[in-house]
Amino acid sequence: MENQTLVKEICPTKTQLWINNGALLVDVREKEEVAQLAYNVPNIVNIPLTEFEERFAEIPRDREVVVVCKSGVRSLRAAAFLINNGYDQVVNMKHGIIRWVQKGFPTIGDASSVLINGNSHSCSCSGC
């Protein structure tokens, strides 16, 4: 999980485009985190990072995959792991569910925990 330079990153806005085109979201947060606040999108699977190396084969290799988490750090590690294991249609979503909520994208659960610092944000991704 060390070679993270190979991972392409996209912002939540671009992630919406990928979702609309049928991409699979892989949420690597722990089950308790997902139970509190989840992405409300079709085609999502939760494989916690703590189980990722044992379960990553559940992710189809022939499909576009966006790996997500709370802030984008754990998902970056998981995306790099997938790429290093032969997946070639994988991207990481920068800034995780924190930015997702700030952008007003659909969630299930209590978003207040990720909005503690308010709604202001900066994003270098075009379209954010």
Side-chain angles (χ1 to χ4, degrees):
M1 288 192 198
E2 294 167 6
N3 192 357
Q4 297 175 352
T5 59
L6 298 174
V7 180
K8 179 181 176 188
E9 294 191 276
I10 62 174
C11 64
T13 301
K14 193 168 279 187
T15 298
Q16 288 287 333
L17 297 173
W18 280 56
I19 291 167
N20 291 338
N21 289 326
L24 175 67
L25 255 65
V26 177
D27 189 343
V28 298
R29 295 177 300 144
E30 297 302 314
K31 290 177 179 23
E32 303 78 38
E33 293 175 272
V34 174
Q36 182 180 10
L37 179 64
Y39 294 89
N40 187 8
V41 298
N43 305 317
I44 187 167
V45 64
N46 175 228
I47 303 177
L49 192 60
T50 55
E51 303 171 11
F52 203 77
E53 290 187 30
E54 294 81 32
R55 295 185 52 200
F56 78 93
E58 297 173 25
I59 302 166
R61 291 180 182 267
D62 61 348
R63 190 165 177 193
E64 290 183 328
V65 173
V66 181
V67 187
V68 298
C69 67
K70 181 178 181 182
S71 67
V73 175
R74 288 176 285 177
S75 56
L76 183 63
R77 291 182 62 211
F81 179 84
L82 289 175
I83 291 167
N84 289 331
N85 281 277
Y87 287 76
D88 59 2
Q89 299 182 73
V90 176
V91 297
N92 179 53
M93 187 181 81
K94 293 190 293 187
H95 311 295
I97 202 164
I98 294 170
R99 182 66 47 81
W100 183 271
V101 168
Q102 290 171 340
K103 296 295 294 176
F105 294 143
T107 59
I108 300 169
D110 181 12
S112 65
S113 62
V114 299
L115 290 176
I116 292 171
N117 294 327
N119 285 327
S120 63
H121 67 279
S122 62
C123 184
S124 60
C125 178
S126 63
C128 277

